[in-house]
mmCIF file of all heavy atoms in Angstrom:
data_model
loop_
_atom_site.group_PDB
_atom_site.id
_atom_site.type_symbol
_atom_site.label_atom_id
_atom_site.label_comp_id
_atom_site.label_asym_id
_atom_site.label_seq_id
_atom_site.Cartn_x
_atom_site.Cartn_y
_atom_site.Cartn_z
ATOM 1 N N SER A 1 13.907 -24.401 6.185
ATOM 2 C CA SER A 1 13.238 -23.500 7.108
ATOM 3 C C SER A 1 14.017 -23.170 8.416
ATOM 4 O O SER A 1 13.662 -22.263 9.156
ATOM 5 C CB SER A 1 11.871 -23.983 7.533
ATOM 6 O OG SER A 1 11.838 -25.259 8.210
ATOM 7 N N ARG A 2 15.168 -23.819 8.568
ATOM 8 C CA ARG A 2 16.089 -23.563 9.608
ATOM 9 C C ARG A 2 16.561 -22.035 9.582
ATOM 10 O O ARG A 2 16.898 -21.504 10.611
ATOM 11 C CB ARG A 2 17.213 -24.418 9.537
ATOM 12 C CG ARG A 2 18.299 -24.202 10.741
ATOM 13 C CD ARG A 2 19.461 -25.160 10.493
ATOM 14 N NE ARG A 2 19.045 -26.598 10.436
ATOM 15 C CZ ARG A 2 18.925 -27.383 11.538
ATOM 16 N NH1 ARG A 2 19.190 -26.799 12.760
ATOM 17 N NH2 ARG A 2 18.407 -28.623 11.475
ATOM 18 N N TYR A 3 16.530 -21.439 8.453
ATOM 19 C CA TYR A 3 17.129 -20.197 8.171
ATOM 20 C C TYR A 3 16.091 -19.080 7.925
ATOM 21 O O TYR A 3 15.118 -19.387 7.077
ATOM 22 C CB TYR A 3 18.054 -20.191 7.120
ATOM 23 C CG TYR A 3 19.241 -21.031 7.298
ATOM 24 C CD1 TYR A 3 19.362 -22.242 6.627
ATOM 25 C CD2 TYR A 3 20.324 -20.664 7.907
ATOM 26 C CE1 TYR A 3 20.389 -23.169 6.782
ATOM 27 C CE2 TYR A 3 21.435 -21.523 8.245
ATOM 28 C CZ TYR A 3 21.520 -22.783 7.529
ATOM 29 O OH TYR A 3 22.579 -23.513 7.729
ATOM 30 N N ALA A 4 16.222 -17.951 8.457
ATOM 31 C CA ALA A 4 15.427 -16.780 7.992
ATOM 32 C C ALA A 4 16.197 -16.273 6.739
ATOM 33 O O ALA A 4 17.360 -16.337 6.701
ATOM 34 C CB ALA A 4 15.462 -15.672 9.060
ATOM 35 N N MET A 5 15.477 -15.776 5.785
ATOM 36 C CA MET A 5 16.059 -15.177 4.503
ATOM 37 C C MET A 5 15.779 -13.776 4.416
ATOM 38 O O MET A 5 14.514 -13.472 4.406
ATOM 39 C CB MET A 5 15.537 -16.040 3.373
ATOM 40 C CG MET A 5 16.028 -17.496 3.294
ATOM 41 S SD MET A 5 17.830 -17.820 3.232
ATOM 42 C CE MET A 5 18.138 -17.017 1.717
ATOM 43 N N GLY A 6 16.716 -13.012 4.357
ATOM 44 C CA GLY A 6 16.552 -11.535 4.260
ATOM 45 C C GLY A 6 17.025 -10.957 2.954
ATOM 46 O O GLY A 6 17.758 -11.602 2.109
ATOM 47 N N TRP A 7 16.335 -9.909 2.622
ATOM 48 C CA TRP A 7 16.787 -9.091 1.390
ATOM 49 C C TRP A 7 17.234 -7.769 1.884
ATOM 50 O O TRP A 7 16.569 -7.099 2.640
ATOM 51 C CB TRP A 7 15.618 -8.951 0.355
ATOM 52 C CG TRP A 7 15.276 -10.139 -0.361
ATOM 53 C CD1 TRP A 7 14.339 -11.207 -0.068
ATOM 54 C CD2 TRP A 7 15.894 -10.673 -1.547
ATOM 55 N NE1 TRP A 7 14.312 -12.129 -0.917
ATOM 56 C CE2 TRP A 7 15.257 -11.741 -2.005
ATOM 57 C CE3 TRP A 7 16.913 -10.093 -2.341
ATOM 58 C CZ2 TRP A 7 15.601 -12.581 -3.106
ATOM 59 C CZ3 TRP A 7 17.165 -10.784 -3.545
ATOM 60 C CH2 TRP A 7 16.628 -12.024 -3.902
ATOM 61 N N PHE A 8 18.353 -7.374 1.326
ATOM 62 C CA PHE A 8 18.965 -6.191 1.651
ATOM 63 C C PHE A 8 19.361 -5.380 0.272
ATOM 64 O O PHE A 8 19.384 -6.101 -0.798
ATOM 65 C CB PHE A 8 20.295 -6.142 2.435
ATOM 66 C CG PHE A 8 20.056 -6.692 3.765
ATOM 67 C CD1 PHE A 8 19.906 -8.077 4.086
ATOM 68 C CD2 PHE A 8 20.087 -5.824 4.797
ATOM 69 C CE1 PHE A 8 19.639 -8.608 5.314
ATOM 70 C CE2 PHE A 8 19.897 -6.351 6.159
ATOM 71 C CZ PHE A 8 19.677 -7.649 6.299
ATOM 72 N N ARG A 9 19.610 -4.074 0.227
ATOM 73 C CA ARG A 9 19.970 -3.384 -0.918
ATOM 74 C C ARG A 9 20.999 -2.321 -0.516
ATOM 75 O O ARG A 9 20.970 -1.820 0.428
ATOM 76 C CB ARG A 9 18.671 -2.838 -1.683
ATOM 77 C CG ARG A 9 17.979 -1.698 -0.995
ATOM 78 C CD ARG A 9 16.749 -1.389 -1.651
ATOM 79 N NE ARG A 9 16.066 -0.295 -1.017
ATOM 80 C CZ ARG A 9 14.862 0.180 -1.349
ATOM 81 N NH1 ARG A 9 14.225 -0.302 -2.530
ATOM 82 N NH2 ARG A 9 14.228 1.246 -0.742
ATOM 83 N N GLN A 10 21.752 -1.863 -1.494
ATOM 84 C CA GLN A 10 22.791 -0.903 -1.311
ATOM 85 C C GLN A 10 22.814 -0.007 -2.574
ATOM 86 O O GLN A 10 23.228 -0.429 -3.729
ATOM 87 C CB GLN A 10 24.151 -1.475 -1.081
ATOM 88 C CG GLN A 10 25.142 -0.389 -0.643
ATOM 89 C CD GLN A 10 26.356 -0.986 -0.126
ATOM 90 O OE1 GLN A 10 26.695 -2.067 -0.383
ATOM 91 N NE2 GLN A 10 27.100 -0.162 0.690
ATOM 92 N N ALA A 11 22.378 1.201 -2.445
ATOM 93 C CA ALA A 11 22.377 2.283 -3.449
ATOM 94 C C ALA A 11 23.765 2.939 -3.516
ATOM 95 O O ALA A 11 24.481 2.946 -2.522
ATOM 96 C CB ALA A 11 21.263 3.246 -3.403
ATOM 97 N N PRO A 12 24.141 3.539 -4.606
ATOM 98 C CA PRO A 12 25.452 4.247 -4.706
ATOM 99 C C PRO A 12 25.512 5.305 -3.628
ATOM 100 O O PRO A 12 24.566 6.120 -3.517
ATOM 101 C CB PRO A 12 25.501 4.755 -6.036
ATOM 102 C CG PRO A 12 24.641 3.908 -6.855
ATOM 103 C CD PRO A 12 23.558 3.422 -5.958
ATOM 104 N N GLY A 13 26.485 5.304 -2.893
ATOM 105 C CA GLY A 13 26.862 6.288 -1.861
ATOM 106 C C GLY A 13 26.032 6.159 -0.588
ATOM 107 O O GLY A 13 26.048 6.911 0.299
ATOM 108 N N LYS A 14 25.271 4.985 -0.493
ATOM 109 C CA LYS A 14 24.534 4.699 0.717
ATOM 110 C C LYS A 14 24.969 3.440 1.453
ATOM 111 O O LYS A 14 25.565 2.566 0.693
ATOM 112 C CB LYS A 14 23.042 4.715 0.414
ATOM 113 C CG LYS A 14 22.410 5.976 0.002
ATOM 114 C CD LYS A 14 20.936 5.911 -0.148
ATOM 115 C CE LYS A 14 20.269 7.242 -0.422
ATOM 116 N NZ LYS A 14 18.837 7.116 -0.596
ATOM 117 N N GLU A 15 24.632 3.257 2.647
ATOM 118 C CA GLU A 15 24.796 2.006 3.333
ATOM 119 C C GLU A 15 23.862 0.932 2.944
ATOM 120 O O GLU A 15 22.783 1.334 2.402
ATOM 121 C CB GLU A 15 24.829 2.204 4.819
ATOM 122 C CG GLU A 15 25.840 3.181 5.422
ATOM 123 C CD GLU A 15 25.866 3.237 6.892
ATOM 124 O OE1 GLU A 15 24.917 2.826 7.570
ATOM 125 O OE2 GLU A 15 26.893 3.772 7.498
ATOM 126 N N ARG A 16 24.280 -0.223 3.133
ATOM 127 C CA ARG A 16 23.246 -1.225 2.833
ATOM 128 C C ARG A 16 22.046 -1.231 3.834
ATOM 129 O O ARG A 16 22.269 -1.045 4.978
ATOM 130 C CB ARG A 16 24.057 -2.635 2.943
ATOM 131 C CG ARG A 16 23.174 -3.843 2.476
ATOM 132 C CD ARG A 16 24.019 -4.976 1.922
ATOM 133 N NE ARG A 16 25.059 -5.355 2.845
ATOM 134 C CZ ARG A 16 26.048 -6.087 2.477
ATOM 135 N NH1 ARG A 16 26.076 -6.670 1.207
ATOM 136 N NH2 ARG A 16 26.909 -6.528 3.401
ATOM 137 N N GLU A 17 20.840 -1.430 3.290
ATOM 138 C CA GLU A 17 19.706 -1.343 4.074
ATOM 139 C C GLU A 17 18.865 -2.584 4.051
ATOM 140 O O GLU A 17 18.910 -3.241 2.990
ATOM 141 C CB GLU A 17 18.834 -0.129 3.769
ATOM 142 C CG GLU A 17 18.278 -0.098 2.386
ATOM 143 C CD GLU A 17 17.440 1.043 2.087
ATOM 144 O OE1 GLU A 17 16.834 1.684 3.054
ATOM 145 O OE2 GLU A 17 17.144 1.293 0.888
ATOM 146 N N PHE A 18 18.023 -2.763 5.087
ATOM 147 C CA PHE A 18 17.227 -3.910 5.125
ATOM 148 C C PHE A 18 15.936 -3.602 4.261
ATOM 149 O O PHE A 18 15.372 -2.574 4.309
ATOM 150 C CB PHE A 18 16.783 -4.061 6.687
ATOM 151 C CG PHE A 18 15.654 -5.146 6.899
ATOM 152 C CD1 PHE A 18 16.009 -6.520 6.677
ATOM 153 C CD2 PHE A 18 14.496 -4.775 6.966
ATOM 154 C CE1 PHE A 18 15.028 -7.509 6.962
ATOM 155 C CE2 PHE A 18 13.401 -5.731 7.317
ATOM 156 C CZ PHE A 18 13.712 -7.018 7.207
ATOM 157 N N VAL A 19 15.636 -4.621 3.411
ATOM 158 C CA VAL A 19 14.383 -4.481 2.646
ATOM 159 C C VAL A 19 13.344 -5.328 3.170
ATOM 160 O O VAL A 19 12.113 -4.789 3.390
ATOM 161 C CB VAL A 19 14.712 -5.044 1.174
ATOM 162 C CG1 VAL A 19 13.477 -5.020 0.256
ATOM 163 C CG2 VAL A 19 15.786 -4.091 0.576
ATOM 164 N N GLY A 20 13.577 -6.543 3.553
ATOM 165 C CA GLY A 20 12.514 -7.409 4.075
ATOM 166 C C GLY A 20 13.128 -8.812 4.432
ATOM 167 O O GLY A 20 14.271 -9.076 3.954
ATOM 168 N N ALA A 21 12.291 -9.637 4.991
ATOM 169 C CA ALA A 21 12.742 -11.026 5.241
ATOM 170 C C ALA A 21 11.517 -11.959 5.360
ATOM 171 O O ALA A 21 10.452 -11.502 5.608
ATOM 172 C CB ALA A 21 13.527 -10.969 6.635
ATOM 173 N N ILE A 22 11.868 -13.146 5.296
ATOM 174 C CA ILE A 22 10.927 -14.301 5.475
ATOM 175 C C ILE A 22 11.509 -15.022 6.718
ATOM 176 O O ILE A 22 12.619 -15.397 6.613
ATOM 177 C CB ILE A 22 10.651 -15.090 4.247
ATOM 178 C CG1 ILE A 22 9.505 -16.217 4.550
ATOM 179 C CG2 ILE A 22 11.848 -15.727 3.671
ATOM 180 C CD1 ILE A 22 8.870 -16.701 3.350
ATOM 181 N N THR A 23 10.757 -15.161 7.739
ATOM 182 C CA THR A 23 11.229 -15.798 8.937
ATOM 183 C C THR A 23 11.348 -17.278 8.765
ATOM 184 O O THR A 23 10.953 -17.985 7.795
ATOM 185 C CB THR A 23 10.313 -15.554 10.137
ATOM 186 O OG1 THR A 23 9.076 -16.256 10.030
ATOM 187 C CG2 THR A 23 9.901 -13.969 10.185
ATOM 188 N N ARG A 24 11.942 -18.004 9.819
ATOM 189 C CA ARG A 24 12.133 -19.434 9.806
ATOM 190 C C ARG A 24 10.717 -20.091 9.776
ATOM 191 O O ARG A 24 10.587 -21.190 9.327
ATOM 192 C CB ARG A 24 12.831 -19.886 11.007
ATOM 193 C CG ARG A 24 14.376 -19.599 10.872
ATOM 194 C CD ARG A 24 15.094 -19.804 12.136
ATOM 195 N NE ARG A 24 14.943 -21.126 12.602
ATOM 196 C CZ ARG A 24 15.434 -21.613 13.795
ATOM 197 N NH1 ARG A 24 16.126 -20.769 14.590
ATOM 198 N NH2 ARG A 24 15.169 -22.812 14.203
ATOM 199 N N GLY A 25 9.637 -19.302 10.262
ATOM 200 C CA GLY A 25 8.323 -19.778 10.224
ATOM 201 C C GLY A 25 7.472 -19.294 9.137
ATOM 202 O O GLY A 25 6.265 -19.492 9.073
ATOM 203 N N ASP A 26 8.161 -18.777 8.061
ATOM 204 C CA ASP A 26 7.596 -18.331 6.775
ATOM 205 C C ASP A 26 6.721 -17.242 6.974
ATOM 206 O O ASP A 26 5.793 -16.936 6.012
ATOM 207 C CB ASP A 26 6.929 -19.429 6.076
ATOM 208 C CG ASP A 26 7.872 -20.492 5.507
ATOM 209 O OD1 ASP A 26 9.041 -20.100 5.315
ATOM 210 O OD2 ASP A 26 7.521 -21.649 5.239
ATOM 211 N N ASP A 27 6.756 -16.353 8.034
ATOM 212 C CA ASP A 27 6.133 -15.000 7.988
ATOM 213 C C ASP A 27 7.053 -14.006 7.355
ATOM 214 O O ASP A 27 8.188 -14.193 7.232
ATOM 215 C CB ASP A 27 5.904 -14.627 9.461
ATOM 216 C CG ASP A 27 4.913 -15.587 10.149
ATOM 217 O OD1 ASP A 27 3.819 -15.837 9.611
ATOM 218 O OD2 ASP A 27 5.135 -15.726 11.316
ATOM 219 N N THR A 28 6.435 -12.892 6.907
ATOM 220 C CA THR A 28 7.259 -11.958 6.108
ATOM 221 C C THR A 28 7.180 -10.623 6.875
ATOM 222 O O THR A 28 6.171 -10.279 7.485
ATOM 223 C CB THR A 28 6.788 -11.690 4.698
ATOM 224 O OG1 THR A 28 5.366 -11.481 4.686
ATOM 225 C CG2 THR A 28 7.086 -12.976 3.900
ATOM 226 N N VAL A 29 8.375 -9.859 6.755
ATOM 227 C CA VAL A 29 8.425 -8.609 7.424
ATOM 228 C C VAL A 29 9.127 -7.655 6.407
ATOM 229 O O VAL A 29 9.992 -8.068 5.676
ATOM 230 C CB VAL A 29 9.289 -8.596 8.694
ATOM 231 C CG1 VAL A 29 9.379 -7.273 9.378
ATOM 232 C CG2 VAL A 29 8.729 -9.645 9.671
ATOM 233 N N TYR A 30 8.666 -6.318 6.312
ATOM 234 C CA TYR A 30 9.209 -5.502 5.227
ATOM 235 C C TYR A 30 9.595 -4.140 5.819
ATOM 236 O O TYR A 30 8.924 -3.688 6.861
ATOM 237 C CB TYR A 30 8.132 -5.291 4.236
ATOM 238 C CG TYR A 30 7.647 -6.527 3.535
ATOM 239 C CD1 TYR A 30 6.479 -7.073 3.898
ATOM 240 C CD2 TYR A 30 8.340 -7.033 2.473
ATOM 241 C CE1 TYR A 30 6.060 -8.329 3.440
ATOM 242 C CE2 TYR A 30 7.914 -8.193 1.911
ATOM 243 C CZ TYR A 30 6.799 -8.758 2.263
ATOM 244 O OH TYR A 30 6.344 -10.012 1.671
ATOM 245 N N ALA A 31 10.520 -3.538 5.266
ATOM 246 C CA ALA A 31 10.839 -2.105 5.580
ATOM 247 C C ALA A 31 9.655 -1.243 5.154
ATOM 248 O O ALA A 31 9.038 -1.518 4.226
ATOM 249 C CB ALA A 31 12.215 -1.710 4.900
ATOM 250 N N ASP A 32 9.542 -0.100 5.830
ATOM 251 C CA ASP A 32 8.417 0.799 5.505
ATOM 252 C C ASP A 32 8.572 1.334 4.065
ATOM 253 O O ASP A 32 7.534 1.593 3.442
ATOM 254 C CB ASP A 32 8.360 2.063 6.438
ATOM 255 C CG ASP A 32 7.969 1.655 7.904
ATOM 256 O OD1 ASP A 32 7.228 0.550 8.022
ATOM 257 O OD2 ASP A 32 8.097 2.297 8.848
ATOM 258 N N SER A 33 9.765 1.491 3.642
ATOM 259 C CA SER A 33 10.046 2.000 2.325
ATOM 260 C C SER A 33 9.483 1.104 1.162
ATOM 261 O O SER A 33 9.140 1.653 0.001
ATOM 262 C CB SER A 33 11.404 2.316 2.086
ATOM 263 O OG SER A 33 12.218 1.112 2.196
ATOM 264 N N VAL A 34 9.315 -0.101 1.407
ATOM 265 C CA VAL A 34 8.846 -1.036 0.363
ATOM 266 C C VAL A 34 7.536 -1.708 0.749
ATOM 267 O O VAL A 34 6.991 -2.479 -0.118
ATOM 268 C CB VAL A 34 9.867 -2.202 0.074
ATOM 269 C CG1 VAL A 34 11.246 -1.497 -0.259
ATOM 270 C CG2 VAL A 34 10.009 -3.157 1.199
ATOM 271 N N LYS A 35 7.052 -1.564 1.936
ATOM 272 C CA LYS A 35 5.781 -2.124 2.284
ATOM 273 C C LYS A 35 4.608 -1.871 1.323
ATOM 274 O O LYS A 35 4.355 -0.606 1.041
ATOM 275 C CB LYS A 35 5.394 -1.731 3.709
ATOM 276 C CG LYS A 35 4.489 -2.557 4.436
ATOM 277 C CD LYS A 35 4.302 -2.177 5.965
ATOM 278 C CE LYS A 35 5.536 -2.460 6.681
ATOM 279 N NZ LYS A 35 5.574 -2.032 8.090
ATOM 280 N N GLY A 36 3.935 -2.870 0.914
ATOM 281 C CA GLY A 36 2.839 -2.719 0.021
ATOM 282 C C GLY A 36 3.186 -2.856 -1.371
ATOM 283 O O GLY A 36 2.367 -2.935 -2.210
ATOM 284 N N ARG A 37 4.554 -2.769 -1.698
ATOM 285 C CA ARG A 37 5.059 -2.841 -3.138
ATOM 286 C C ARG A 37 5.783 -4.137 -3.324
ATOM 287 O O ARG A 37 5.772 -4.640 -4.378
ATOM 288 C CB ARG A 37 5.845 -1.604 -3.361
ATOM 289 C CG ARG A 37 5.181 -0.408 -3.274
ATOM 290 C CD ARG A 37 5.973 0.867 -3.844
ATOM 291 N NE ARG A 37 7.267 0.991 -3.113
ATOM 292 C CZ ARG A 37 8.439 0.939 -3.538
ATOM 293 N NH1 ARG A 37 8.683 0.678 -4.824
ATOM 294 N NH2 ARG A 37 9.544 1.219 -2.833
ATOM 295 N N PHE A 38 6.596 -4.627 -2.333
ATOM 296 C CA PHE A 38 7.422 -5.749 -2.459
ATOM 297 C C PHE A 38 6.859 -6.917 -1.677
ATOM 298 O O PHE A 38 6.277 -6.741 -0.625
ATOM 299 C CB PHE A 38 8.830 -5.539 -1.817
ATOM 300 C CG PHE A 38 9.564 -4.435 -2.686
ATOM 301 C CD1 PHE A 38 9.129 -3.765 -3.699
ATOM 302 C CD2 PHE A 38 11.025 -4.313 -2.377
ATOM 303 C CE1 PHE A 38 9.773 -2.884 -4.358
ATOM 304 C CE2 PHE A 38 11.699 -3.495 -3.094
ATOM 305 C CZ PHE A 38 11.174 -2.678 -4.102
ATOM 306 N N THR A 39 7.039 -8.043 -2.203
ATOM 307 C CA THR A 39 6.506 -9.425 -1.564
ATOM 308 C C THR A 39 7.622 -10.383 -1.593
ATOM 309 O O THR A 39 8.304 -10.644 -2.532
ATOM 310 C CB THR A 39 5.268 -9.916 -2.266
ATOM 311 O OG1 THR A 39 4.286 -8.872 -2.231
ATOM 312 C CG2 THR A 39 4.735 -11.094 -1.423
ATOM 313 N N ILE A 40 7.884 -11.004 -0.395
ATOM 314 C CA ILE A 40 8.923 -12.012 -0.327
ATOM 315 C C ILE A 40 8.156 -13.432 -0.128
ATOM 316 O O ILE A 40 7.186 -13.525 0.612
ATOM 317 C CB ILE A 40 9.803 -11.838 0.901
ATOM 318 C CG1 ILE A 40 10.630 -10.597 0.717
ATOM 319 C CG2 ILE A 40 10.701 -12.956 1.098
ATOM 320 C CD1 ILE A 40 11.355 -10.123 2.022
#
């Protein structure tokens, strides 16, 4: 739990973008584009 774990994605022709993360305290945060659909 020392580390926050993030998920990123990179589509062809686009920069890598933040998807979501689970914090060192095990809370989760999501990008608006995936909120409600993805779970970490």
